[in-house]
């Protein structure tokens, strides 16, 4: 297998050719900004995606044999880590490292540009659920502006260092109208905005494909955001998953 393709390394230059104005958008992964260490195993659906033993994206366990992640995280092959608090499986009793056998991007991913950013990854075998490894239900409700939700990941922190353990941060959902206003012609109804508050809390480079949990359900996946994360007044973008429940259920049922 070839080298790991870091998600969206080409993204900023391409946007400049489109003449996008305002704060520059970045998609080279994502990092938790101004968060804190998650309580160990409080996010038992969190998955870590590795290629050539290198962590590159997050995912979410939505079925014992299926992980949901961002479509832009696709690689030729993966190892999926479950039940992790740190990224060192040997330090995590009860964790599992499973090979993936199939990746299915949404058929309309990137049509239009950056839209429908989700994919399903099939594990080699179903995982046995435990207190540290558990599926989460995809939200059926429309997101509510102002609602507080939790995003988690192992991406770079503001100091440029990788965290020792999974990071969590609470951010607020932004209305569809404001999301469209912020992102202009990049906006698509498959997107959901969150964050951008004065507390500078945000997801950013390294967290792509990770979960946005609202009221105990999976409302979104980390997709993209600003080149400089945690800017007040500029939320990041998540895939709006309640619009994809039928597609997710269909793929799992038929594949």
């Amino acid at each position: 297998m070839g080298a790991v393709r870091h998600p969206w390394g080409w993204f900023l230059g391409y946007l400049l050719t489109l003449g996008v104005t305002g704060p520059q958008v970045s998609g080279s992964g994502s990092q938790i900004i101004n968060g804190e260490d998650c309580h160990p195993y409080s996010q038992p659906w969190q998955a870590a995606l590795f290629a050539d033993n290198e962590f590159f994206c997050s995912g979410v366990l939505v079925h014992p044999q299926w992980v949901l992640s961002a479509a832009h995280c696709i690689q030729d092959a993966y190892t999926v880590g479950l039940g992790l608090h740190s990224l060192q499986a040997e330090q995590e009793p009860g964790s599992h490292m499973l090979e993936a056998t199939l990746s299915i991007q949404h058929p309309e991913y990137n049509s239009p540009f950056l839209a429908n950013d989700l994919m399903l990854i099939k594990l080699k075998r179903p995982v046995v659920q435990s207190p540290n490894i558990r599926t989460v239900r995809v939200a059926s409700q429309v997101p509510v502006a102002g609602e507080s939700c939790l995003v988690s990941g192992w991406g770079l922190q503001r100091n440029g260092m990788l965290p020792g353990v999974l990071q969590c941060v609470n951010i607020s959902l932004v209305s569809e109208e404001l999301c469209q206003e912020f992102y202009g012609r990049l906006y698509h109804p498959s997107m959901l905005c969150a964050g951008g508050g004065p507390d500078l809390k945000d997801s950013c480079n390294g967290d792509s494909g990770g979960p946005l949990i609202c009221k105990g359900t999976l409302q979104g996946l980390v997709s993209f955001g600003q080149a400089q994360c945690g800017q007040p007044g500029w939320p990041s973008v998540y895939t709006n998953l309640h619009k994809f429940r039928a597609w997710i259920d269909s793929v799992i049922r038929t594949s």
Side-chain angles (χ1 to χ4, degrees), residues 28-232:
S28 55
S30 285
Q31 61 192 301
I32 295 295
I33 300 296
N34 287 344
E36 58 186 17
D37 294 356
C38 299
H39 183 75
Y41 315 112
S42 61
Q43 311 303 309
W45 39 79
Q46 183 95 29
L49 306 186
F50 299 86
D52 291 339
N53 296 315
E54 182 179 351
F55 168 76
F56 65 95
C57 273
S58 284
V60 193
L61 189 69
V62 294
H63 176 278
Q65 200 170 0
W66 290 90
V67 167
L68 194 60
S69 187
H72 74 258
C73 289
I74 196 164
Q75 302 281 337
D76 295 330
Y78 316 84
T79 301
V80 179
L82 297 168
L84 300 176
H85 186 51
S86 79
L87 290 176
Q88 306 302 317
E90 64 272 13
Q91 299 175 9
E92 305 286 349
S95 66
H96 290 279
M97 302 293 286
L98 300 172
E99 297 303 313
T101 60
L102 180 67
S103 300
I104 302 176
Q105 290 178 311
H106 190 275
E108 295 179 8
Y109 166 57
N110 230 9
S111 179
F113 188 52
L114 305 181
N116 307 299
D117 187 14
L118 72 160
M119 70 172 170
L120 279 159
I121 301 169
K122 189 174 186 179
L123 304 177
K124 187 174 183 179
R125 64 179 185 276
V127 66
V128 176
Q129 296 191 64
S130 69
N132 296 358
I133 301 175
R134 196 167 74 241
T135 60
V136 66
R137 182 169 59 88
V138 176
S140 58
Q141 73 274 15
V142 175
V144 178
E147 183 176 332
S148 179
C149 302
L150 187 141
V151 62
S152 52
W154 289 279
L156 293 175
Q157 298 173 297
R158 187 176 291 280
N159 61 10
M161 303 293 289
L162 288 171
V165 298
L166 186 67
Q167 299 294 293
C168 285
V169 68
N170 287 296
I171 55 176
S172 296
L173 300 184
V174 173
S175 71
E176 185 175 359
E177 293 75 20
L178 281 177
C179 190
Q180 186 169 9
E181 182 179 325
F182 284 126
Y183 285 95
R185 59 197 182 109
L186 279 180
Y187 174 79
H188 184 266
S190 65
M191 299 173 184
L192 166 66
C193 284
D199 55 12
L200 310 183
K201 294 180 178 181
D202 199 3
S203 59
C204 185
N205 300 337
D207 297 320
S208 287
L212 180 71
I213 302 293
C214 307
K215 293 183 177 178
T217 62
L218 181 62
Q219 191 77 64
L221 297 173
V222 177
S223 185
F224 68 90
Q226 307 305 317
Q228 180 181 346
C229 305
Q231 295 187 65

